[in-house]
Amino acid sequence: MSSPSAAPPAPNNLKRIVAASLIGTTIEWYDFFLYGSAAALVFNELFFPESDPLVGTLLSFLTYAVGFAARPIGALVFGHYGDRLGRKKLLVLSLLMMGGATFAIGLLPTHATVGSMAPVLLTVLRLVQGFALGGEWGGAVLLVSEHGDARRRGFWASWPQTGAPAGQLLATGVLALLTAVLSESAFGSWGWRIPFLLSGVLVIVGLWIRLSVDESPVFKEALKRAEARKADAPAERLPLVAVLKHHWRDVLVAMGARMAENISYYVITAFILVYATASAGLSKQTALNAVLIASALHFAVIPAWGALSDRWGRRPVYLIGAVGVGLWMFPFFALIDTGGFGALLLAVTVGLVMHGAMYAPQAAFFSEMFATRMRYSGASIGAQFASVAAGAPAPLIATALLSDYGTSTPIALYVIAASLLTVVAILAAKETRHRDLADVSAEAEDVMPAPVRAEAAAKDARAL
């Protein structure tokens, strides 16, 4: 498809849209990653104190994985209503749900107070977090993709993606600060609650910014066309039905593309807190500091990779990341095993730079696969269903492999296998860099029932 003929949006307006999406996703990822870091550091003692330390960590990561199980449900619900009602309304709702659940975790009683009810409550709130995040990602990247200049869509759409390292940076930074200034007993007693309670303040800021932006013009135009046809045409298919009928191949490609990206990220940023302390003998503070610095560099390289995807295409940049992560896994663990901070920092930084080459073009790549009235559903389903098989069990599988084998070799092979799967998926995909997100013919063909297409086309011709 050719590039859009519509004029690019005003720079100030586009920057406001990007800022709203970035800040919102930063807050939501802060909430999500905060849980992952706390699961590795303290939740095993606070909520599963009767277990062996490594078993307690496994149980802690199991509640972490539960959040991923809820993400596909969130993707279905938010995707459906986001394609029907608009991106903005659903993004506001997802932010409220995520922030409320995170704040509530900061108020939870521990196992010492309420016994087995503590991990149950923790799991319920983790489910709410996962449900909200399942709807957040698709809406945030679409809001930017559908507002942005098509020639630089990869660059602009990559900015909401920086919300992940920004959230990781914020969550890890707060935890690193608290572990540095508080004694271990004070942090385990009450200090761990502070980062979760801070989420309440962040949500207020995020809502103020997110409510100030307008709905996607591409979506508004598609909705106007759908409303105009309602009187003369049968009802449109549900977005989910249309996606699975016409775009099942794209959904599978998106799921395959997510495997290496998702698995490598959670091994590098979450499991690293376990491996560095349990196997390499490094302190929690040292591991947190390495993730903190590397996350800052990760934030910086994502827009650069996004810009390269505008020049080279989504597929070439994505392949660089998938191959790079796979090749880096054995050096990654070898560097950590040296026990030095510099080696640990190098291992995490290179890993996240390679991850960024997959994560940066992902927003534009997935957005360009689907027509407007099914785009929220399609992008969200492809991304979030993959997270159940990829990111959800990644720290759990890595920890179990370490427990069973006592070496990093099977963990490295696990990530390499995911990289190979992603390479196959990207090679099977079509390049989407030049696609027009507002393409009307694609909209009509993919969303409208077959008997109505000819009549709708004739009606459009008469209107012209």
Side-chain angles (χ1 to χ4, degrees), residues 294-362:
S295 293
L297 294 172
H298 191 211
F299 179 95
V301 300
I302 286 177
W305 284 122
L308 283 175
S309 79
D310 287 325
R311 299 189 62 182
W312 297 350
R314 317 300 182 212
R315 294 171 71 246
V317 174
Y318 214 113
L319 284 171
I320 290 172
V323 173
V325 160
L327 293 176
W328 185 244
M329 276 302 104
F330 279 110
F332 173 79
F333 286 109
L335 285 167
I336 297 172
D337 289 338
T338 65
F341 176 73
L344 172 64
L345 179 60
L346 178 62
V348 179
T349 299
V350 174
L352 288 181
V353 169
M354 290 296 101
H355 172 269
M358 293 182 284
Y359 200 55
Q362 191 178 97

Side-chain angles (χ1 to χ4, degrees), residues 146-370:
E146 293 178 344
H147 271 90
D149 177 1
R151 292 170 300 178
R152 304 185 68 198
R153 185 182 296 130
F155 171 73
W156 289 115
S158 70
W159 279 100
Q161 299 291 78
T162 64
Q168 178 77 63
L169 186 65
L170 189 58
T172 306
V174 171
L175 285 171
L177 177 63
L178 289 172
T179 56
V181 300
L182 297 176
S183 66
E184 190 168 344
S185 61
F187 181 78
S189 175
W190 55 269
W192 68 272
R193 298 181 183 274
I194 295 175
F196 290 92
L197 297 177
L198 282 175
S199 180
V201 178
L202 296 175
V203 167
I204 294 173
V205 175
L207 281 176
W208 174 69
I209 295 173
R210 205 159 252 191
L211 287 169
S212 69
V213 302
D214 196 11
E215 182 56 80
S216 154
V218 172
F219 175 80
K220 287 194 291 186
E221 179 61 28
L223 185 61
K224 186 188 302 181
R225 293 180 61 85
E227 292 292 334
R229 291 192 181 107
K230 272 186 177 179
D232 304 318
E236 292 178 355
R237 295 189 182 98
L238 294 176
L240 172 61
V241 175
V243 167
L244 296 180
K245 183 175 179 61
H246 295 289
H247 289 279
W248 60 268
R249 183 179 181 276
D250 294 320
V251 169
L252 291 178
V253 166
M255 291 176 66
R258 285 275 281 171
M259 299 305 290
E261 177 268 306
N262 226 214
I263 289 172
S264 66
Y265 188 79
Y266 291 105
V267 168
I268 293 169
T269 61
F271 173 70
I272 187 69
L273 300 178
V274 175
Y275 186 82
T277 54
S279 292
L282 295 162
S283 68
K284 293 179 181 179
Q285 184 68 44
T286 300
L288 283 170
N289 287 342
V291 174
L292 184 69
I293 297 170
S295 293
L297 294 172
H298 191 211
F299 179 95
V301 300
I302 286 177
W305 284 122
L308 283 175
S309 79
D310 287 325
R311 299 189 62 182
W312 297 350
R314 317 300 182 212
R315 294 171 71 246
V317 174
Y318 214 113
L319 284 171
I320 290 172
V323 173
V325 160
L327 293 176
W328 185 244
M329 276 302 104
F330 279 110
F332 173 79
F333 286 109
L335 285 167
I336 297 172
D337 289 338
T338 65
F341 176 73
L344 172 64
L345 179 60
L346 178 62
V348 179
T349 299
V350 174
L352 288 181
V353 169
M354 290 296 101
H355 172 269
M358 293 182 284
Y359 200 55
Q362 191 178 97
F365 190 31
F366 290 6
S367 298
E368 291 158 350
M369 290 181 181
F370 305 95

